[in-house]
Amino acid sequence: MTFFFVLVLACAVTFVWIRADRLERQLAILDERLDALAHANEQLLAGSVAVSPTSAGSGVADTPSDLEAPPQPFQEPESVEATEPADNTPADPLAKVAQNARDEFQTQATLAPEPQIDQREPSTSGLEEVDEPSRSLSFDFEDIFGRRLPIWGGGFALAIAGIFLVRFSIEAGLLTPTVRVALSFVFGLGLLGGAEAAFRFEERLRDPRVRQSLSGAGLATLYGAFYLAGTAYGLIGAGAAFVGLATVTTGAIALSFRFGLPSAVIGLVGGFAAPLLVNSESANVPLLSFYLALVTGGLAWTGQAQGFRWMSYAALAAGLVWGALMMLAGVEGTSDFAALGLYLVVLGTVLPAFLHARGGPSLPHLIGGAVATLQMAVLVSEAGFDPLTWGLYLLISAALTVLGSRYEALRLGAAVASGLGLWLLVVWPNAEPSFYAAIAVAQIVIFAGVPLVYQALGRAKQLDLAQLSAVSVIMACITYARFGNWGDIESEPLLAFIVGTLALLPAAAFAFVWKRSEEGETRTSLTLLAPAYGLIFASLIILAPAWLAPAMALLAGLPVVALYWKREGLALSFMAWTSAAVSLLALAFTPAFPAELSQLGEGAELVDTLRASLRWASVALAFLSMAVIGRSQLSRRIADAASVALFYGVIAQIVPSQPLAWIAALAAIGLHVWKPQRFAAWGSALAIAVLWAAAPFSVWALAGLLALVGEPFLASSVVSLLDLALRVAPVASAMAALTWSGRGLLSEVKVALSLALGLIALVMTHSLYKQAFDINSMLAFAQDGMAERTIWQAALALVAYGVSQSWRGPERPWIALGLIAASCVHFVWFTLFWHNPLFVEQHVGPTPIANWLTLGYSLAVASLWLGCRLWQEAFDQAPPRAVAQGCDVASMTLITLLAYSLLRQVFAGSVLIARPIDQTESLLISLLGIVLALAFLAWGSWKANRSWRIGSLVLMLAAVVKVFLIDAAGLGGLLRIASFMALGFSLIGIGWFYSKQLTRQNSLPS
């Protein structure tokens, strides 16, 4: 009962909402018009004020320029024509202001819309204009809540009264079932008679809603009466009840054309609500299904016929809701399943097919068909997948498919039905094989065979082809998942045959595409080719052992490659590449692949050489075919690189690992000589050779990175002689041959190869050099590390000097400058920063001056001097002032550190940190600083270099600070006096000498 009242209230609120929204829009339009009229009146009043004499005069009088203007002498004009300006502008200032005001008013009056002035009194006119919308709004409100809603509510109330009357009689037990039903018929027919009377006396009533409400209530009562007579009490048979319900439905449709649409709406809504409002102890599912089918069909057809499609949609939705309610209530027995199944067939196919407009069902009808199909699928599951419900489901699916040939919109419903049917096959428990096969074949014929016929006739859409392909693939997967067992000799051949047969469906559909030369339609071709290739490959892999998967992928892809070879097309190209990729995946995801992959490098595992070679050769041939027939440059390059790498894999399965790097390098050279334009092919072979050298190079690079943070680079981390011969030499030879040949190489590639060769040469030289010293322990590093670093530094500096003297190319200064920079950076980073003998245990040599310290520091100073000279040659100008000053500061720092280190060696020996600094050494260090400061000052004065003179002062000040704070604090007596006297005379001498130099420079002519 609550449901019925909610439905009535929802209809009323919707109607009132629409009417109120319309009134609000009308009121907004009236407000805008009133605002526009008020604005026009304001403009008119402003214009009249602007031209009034008082305002014009006051405006002129208040103008300062007019008040302050000096008086002009009066001159009598000879004539008016002579004194008046040519443009008719008054000469008097007051006249000019008045003329401007008049012109402005005329302009505003011209632009403003002409107001409509009522000739009546202003007060009366204003009241009438404001009061009219109020009366209109009040009239509409009264019309809705005073006339319309009460009448409609009365019709609903009568319908409810009839149903309540029956219900009351049942609950109170006052009347026998026969009397109750008879009274229901009498009441319903009486209401229909009243509606007819209202129709005939229309001239007196003048309100069509009276007859509409009476007829609707009468129809609802008759629906309930027939339902009670046939279902609740069994007073009449099922046939009689069906005839009665059909008669009421027919009458409702007929009366809607006589009494209007609301009559049918009220009656049919009451018909849907009658089974809910009347309490019955049991439900006759077949009769209820027929009853609901008639109600749904009648309401849908009536709404469609009278142009109210929303009524058709509402009827279909209500019928589907009833179908779900009946399934939730529980369906038992074959007759119940059959009745409900036929009911869903009607709602899912018949109504969407025949309730159409302009070429086919609308979207709500399609949704209704899909929901009905879903309910049918649930019904099949609830019935235990018995033949009856399966037959009904196939019936609704076949109906949708057949009707789709006429109404293309219904093909979407067929696609939904196919998906549900496949899902039912998935969840079908303990399916008997022969019955499963029959249902599966029926679904294939309906869901894939019909789209294939469409394709043959040239009427297939993209949805049809997608359905055909999806059904073929999913059916194969479901069948194999249910009955397959990979390795079962008995069942696998039959399953392979089934899967291969399913592959013929999309293949045959594509044959029509090929015949019509429509392979350029990418989506269509891919929709058919991809499933066909997948099913063919699946059928082959079912028969073959797992290790033959790459070969089976090659066989499955041969037809696609042949098609691509004959014609060009994006879909064909994509599928050909897909077949090659599938062969590669088949190689990678089979159990033997890890062991075969180990054959590509060192540490190879034991494999079956023949099988491994066949597997890798199959994949290599797949990519080689793409390299041969590929049309775009990018695809050919990818295929070239992949095929070379895969053929290397074939060789690696046969040949031991030692010569593989040389094989890859020679292949790169040979491919470059044969086809220099196939960059990807010989580049792939060269990349394989580079990968062979990557392992020893990575060890070397890791040791180098650790050396940058202070970890000694030991000989155990360099590239061994065997690796140099078997791994590094091949890639170096290949790069050298490619650089020397230069055929088809871009200048950038040549430069890259040259740089790579230089890096390889550096690594090889460094490895050989490290192995010559053979430093493999920290003790050996402390003993020979300084010597090793200094000789390497000297080698770099000597090579740089040799290049600067003997090289004749334009790049000479750049190469030499780079080597000089490398020598200096190596000395600073490793000898000065990380492994400085002043702080770290390093043997510098037993003899003072003639040791590794002197050589290293001297080479660094000489490198700075050579670098400045090379800078001038490289840039054709002297180094910038900042660079020159930086070199001077670095030179003074290095000389100071060298002198201090040599002094330390005199006291400490070969290891400078062997003993601490005593008092005598400390004084000598201060004296050394003073002497060096004097030497820097003399050099700076001789060379007129201010940097050296400033450096001498800095060093002198540092020595003075050291003497005062450290040395003097530890001395006493004459030693302290002597030290201060020496310091004093030194400072005096330096000051005198420095002032003399400044005086001399100031006296020089500028």
Side-chain angles (χ1 to χ4, degrees):
M1 189 66 192
T2 304
F3 169 77
F4 189 77
F5 279 120
V6 169
L7 184 63
V8 173
L9 183 60
C11 295
V13 170
T14 301
F15 183 80
V16 173
W17 183 283
I18 295 173
R19 296 289 295 177
D21 182 67
R22 186 181 304 169
L23 292 174
E24 288 180 358
R25 290 198 300 268
Q26 293 177 356
L27 186 60
I29 294 173
L30 291 176
D31 289 339
E32 292 178 358
R33 291 179 179 177
L34 289 176
D35 292 340
L37 183 59
H39 181 69
N41 291 333
E42 292 177 359
Q43 294 291 333
L44 181 61
L45 291 175
S48 61
V49 171
V51 299
S52 61
T54 305
S55 61
S58 62
V60 174
D62 293 338
T63 303
S65 59
D66 294 332
L67 294 176
E68 297 176 1
Q72 299 294 333
F74 176 80
Q75 295 181 357
E76 182 70 20
E78 297 179 0
S79 64
V80 176
E81 292 80 7
T83 58
E84 187 175 359
D87 57 353
N88 298 327
T89 301
D92 188 11
L94 296 176
K96 289 182 180 180
V97 173
Q99 181 65 31
N100 291 337
R102 284 193 299 271
D103 293 342
E104 182 178 1
F105 170 71
Q106 291 176 359
T107 302
Q108 293 179 354
T110 303
L111 295 178
E114 184 176 357
Q116 300 294 333
I117 301 176
D118 200 341
Q119 299 298 328
R120 297 171 296 179
E121 293 295 330
S123 57
T124 306
S125 175
L127 289 175
E128 289 179 355
E129 289 180 0
V130 173
D131 196 30
E132 180 62 26
S134 300
R135 289 201 304 269
S136 176
L137 179 61
S138 175
F139 174 78
D140 286 344
F141 182 82
E142 292 173 354
D143 179 66
I144 294 171
F145 290 95
R147 293 196 312 115
R148 300 179 183 270
L149 289 184
I151 293 176
W152 294 335
F156 282 113
L158 290 176
I160 295 171
I163 296 173
F164 269 134
L165 179 62
V166 177
R167 183 173 182 179
F168 174 77
S169 65
I170 296 173
E171 293 176 351
L174 300 178
L175 302 174
T176 63
T178 304
V179 176
R180 300 170 193 168
V181 174
L183 290 177
S184 298
F185 279 112
V186 171
F187 185 68
L189 293 174
L191 290 174
L192 292 179
E196 180 65 20
F199 177 75
R200 293 180 180 275
F201 294 99
E202 173 65 21
E203 295 180 356
R204 296 183 180 182
L205 294 177
R206 296 181 181 179
D207 195 337
R209 286 172 295 278
V210 175
R211 62 174 180 268
Q212 291 171 357
S213 60
L214 291 175
S215 64
L219 290 170
T221 305
L222 291 177
Y223 273 121
F226 274 109
Y227 179 72
L228 287 176
T231 302
Y233 304 128
L235 299 177
I236 57 178
F242 172 74
V243 172
L245 291 172
T247 303
V248 176
T249 302
T250 305
I253 296 173
L255 291 177
S256 68
F257 290 96
R258 183 173 180 82
F259 297 146
L261 181 62
S263 175
V265 173
I266 295 173
L268 293 177
V269 169
F272 273 119
L276 292 177
L277 296 175
V278 177
N279 289 329
S280 64
E281 289 138 5
S282 62
N284 188 327
V285 174
L287 187 59
L288 180 60
S289 300
F290 282 119
Y291 167 72
L292 292 173
L294 290 174
V295 172
T296 305
L299 179 59
W301 184 85
T302 302
Q304 196 74 33
Q306 298 188 11
F308 296 96
R309 303 192 71 179
W310 60 268
M311 184 185 296
S312 174
Y313 303 151
L316 188 58
L320 293 173
V321 170
W322 263 110
L325 291 176
M326 284 189 286
M327 281 191 292
L328 290 175
V331 182
E332 298 178 357
T334 303
S335 60
D336 292 351
F337 281 113
L340 184 55
L342 291 175
Y343 171 72
L344 294 175
V345 170
V346 171
L347 265 63
T349 59
V350 177
L351 289 182
F354 292 101
L355 297 177
H356 61 87
R358 296 184 180 180
S362 58
L363 180 61
H365 289 148
L366 296 178
I367 296 174
V371 174
T373 308
L374 176 61
Q375 292 181 359
M376 190 69 235
V378 175
L379 187 65
V380 172
S381 177
E382 289 185 355
F385 300 90
D386 62 348
L388 174 63
T389 52
W390 263 122
L392 291 172
Y393 185 82
L394 294 176
L395 176 62
I396 190 173
S397 302
L400 285 172
T401 304
V402 173
L403 291 173
S405 62
R406 181 177 180 183
Y407 308 114
E408 293 182 358
L410 283 178
R411 297 185 186 182
L412 178 61
V416 174
S418 66
L420 293 173
L422 294 172
W423 174 248
L424 287 175
L425 291 180
V426 173
V427 300
W428 190 357
N430 303 321
E432 197 273 325
S434 59
F435 185 35
Y436 174 89
I439 298 299
V441 170
Q443 290 199 26
I444 292 172
V445 171
I446 295 172
F447 299 131
V450 174
L452 182 59
V453 174
Y454 292 160
Q455 177 69 352
L457 298 176
R459 297 171 51 193
K461 303 298 181 181
Q462 188 66 34
L463 177 63
D464 302 322
L465 301 180
Q467 177 181 327
L468 184 152
S469 300
V471 168
S472 302
V473 173
I474 298 174
M475 186 66 72
C477 296
I478 295 172
T479 304
Y480 190 84
R482 180 176 292 274
F483 302 106
N485 182 16
W486 204 358
D488 187 357
I489 301 176
E490 296 181 358
S491 63
E492 293 302 289
L494 178 60
L495 291 173
F497 173 76
I498 294 172
V499 174
T501 304
L502 289 172
L504 296 178
L505 294 173
F510 181 77
F512 292 108
V513 174
W514 185 268
K515 182 179 179 180
R516 293 192 286 262
S517 298
E518 297 174 351
E519 66 278 355
E521 298 180 3
T522 304
R523 288 192 305 168
T524 300
S525 300
L526 283 179
T527 303
L528 299 173
L529 276 178
Y533 167 78
L535 291 174
I536 293 173
F537 173 62
S539 64
L540 292 175
I541 200 63
I542 290 174
L543 289 175
W547 67 270
L548 268 178
M552 297 300 102
L554 176 64
L555 291 177
L558 286 179
V560 178
V561 174
L563 293 174
Y564 181 47
W565 178 55
K566 289 184 178 181
R567 296 182 188 177
E568 183 178 1
L570 180 60
L572 298 175
S573 174
F574 178 80
M575 285 308 305
W577 273 105
T578 300
S579 66
V582 169
S583 65
L584 182 60
L585 293 175
L587 174 68
F589 287 97
T590 43
F593 179 71
E596 295 169 359
L597 189 63
S598 67
Q599 298 289 325
L600 305 184
E602 289 185 338
E605 301 177 11
L606 184 63
V607 297
D608 189 328
T609 304
L610 181 60
R611 288 186 177 183
S613 302
L614 178 61
R615 286 160 47 80
W616 284 78
S618 300
V619 185
L621 288 175
F623 281 92
L624 181 62
S625 63
M626 296 306 302
V628 173
I629 68 175
R631 290 174 170 82
S632 67
Q633 188 176 13
L634 177 61
S635 64
R636 287 197 302 270
R637 287 180 177 178
I638 296 174
D640 286 344
S643 58
V644 169
L646 290 166
F647 275 113
Y648 165 79
V650 176
I651 297 173
Q653 306 305 316
I654 305 171
V655 179
S657 61
Q658 287 79 8
L660 288 179
W662 277 108
I663 292 174
L666 293 176
I669 297 173
L671 289 171
H672 179 262
V673 173
W674 178 45
K675 293 287 185 180
Q677 70 276 11
R678 306 299 285 254
F679 169 82
W682 58 261
S684 178
L686 181 62
I688 295 172
V690 171
L691 289 176
W692 271 104
F697 267 63
S698 61
V699 176
W700 180 90
L702 179 60
L705 290 175
L706 294 176
L708 293 177
V709 294
E711 187 71 21
F713 197 131
L714 303 179
S716 58
S717 299
V718 300
V719 183
S720 64
L721 293 177
L722 184 61
D723 287 338
L724 287 174
L726 296 179
R727 296 189 173 195
V728 180
V731 68
S733 302
M735 288 184 177
L738 294 175
T739 306
W740 174 76
S741 173
R743 294 177 57 193
L745 292 182
L746 299 175
S747 58
E748 294 83 357
V749 178
K750 291 182 180 179
V751 172
L753 290 176
S754 300
L755 293 176
L757 274 175
L759 178 61
I760 293 174
L762 174 64
V763 174
M764 296 176 67
T765 304
H766 184 265
S767 298
L768 293 173
Y769 177 76
K770 280 283 186 181
Q771 292 182 31
F773 278 86
D774 196 24
I775 300 176
N776 282 314
S777 64
M778 297 303 297
L779 182 62
F781 178 74
Q783 183 68 35
D784 300 325
M786 184 68 186
E788 183 189 54
R789 292 194 306 274
T790 304
I791 294 175
W792 183 261
Q793 174 195 356
L796 291 174
L798 289 175
V799 173
Y801 181 75
V803 170
S804 66
Q805 296 299 318
S806 60
W807 198 287
R808 292 294 178 263
E811 65 274 4
R812 175 180 64 85
W814 296 101
I815 297 177
L817 195 60
L819 291 171
I820 283 294
S823 176
C824 292
V825 169
H826 183 273
F827 172 77
V828 171
W829 191 253
F830 294 107
T831 300
L832 287 185
F833 186 71
W834 283 115
H835 309 299
N836 195 323
L838 293 172
F839 312 107
V840 181
E841 182 181 356
Q842 291 283 283
H843 287 266
V844 299
T847 305
I849 299 178
N851 53 28
W852 300 113
L853 284 173
T854 305
L855 180 59
Y857 280 92
S858 300
L859 285 172
V861 174
S863 297
L864 291 174
W865 171 79
L866 181 60
C868 291
R869 198 186 75 176
L870 292 171
W871 181 291
Q872 187 168 0
E873 293 183 12
F875 295 100
D876 198 19
Q877 63 180 0
R881 182 179 180 85
V883 175
Q885 289 178 352
C887 290
D888 292 338
V889 172
S891 298
M892 288 184 286
T893 304
L894 291 175
I895 292 171
T896 303
L897 288 175
L898 174 60
Y900 172 65
S901 300
L902 292 176
L903 180 60
R904 275 256 68 198
Q905 187 188 16
V906 172
F907 289 90
S910 180
V911 180
L912 304 186
I913 61 173
R915 52 165 288 180
I917 300 174
D918 57 11
Q919 190 175 17
T920 303
E921 186 180 357
S922 179
L923 288 172
L924 290 175
I925 291 173
S926 301
L927 180 60
L928 178 63
I930 294 172
V931 172
L932 287 175
L934 294 174
F936 292 165
L937 182 59
W939 179 264
S941 300
W942 182 43
K943 292 292 186 179
N945 192 322
R946 187 168 179 269
S947 299
W948 285 81
R949 296 196 302 268
I950 293 176
S952 69
L953 288 178
V954 172
L955 186 57
M956 180 61 70
L957 291 175
V960 170
V961 171
K962 181 178 178 300
V963 169
F964 274 102
L965 297 180
I966 300 176
D967 298 335
L971 295 176
L974 295 176
L975 289 176
R976 178 181 297 179
I977 295 172
S979 63
F980 277 103
M981 288 179 61
L983 181 61
F985 284 119
S986 299
L987 292 175
I988 291 171
I990 292 173
W992 171 80
F993 185 79
Y994 198 81
S995 62
K996 183 178 180 180
Q997 294 295 324
L998 291 177
T999 303
R1000 180 187 302 175
Q1001 292 199 2
N1002 291 333
S1003 63
L1004 293 176
S1006 57

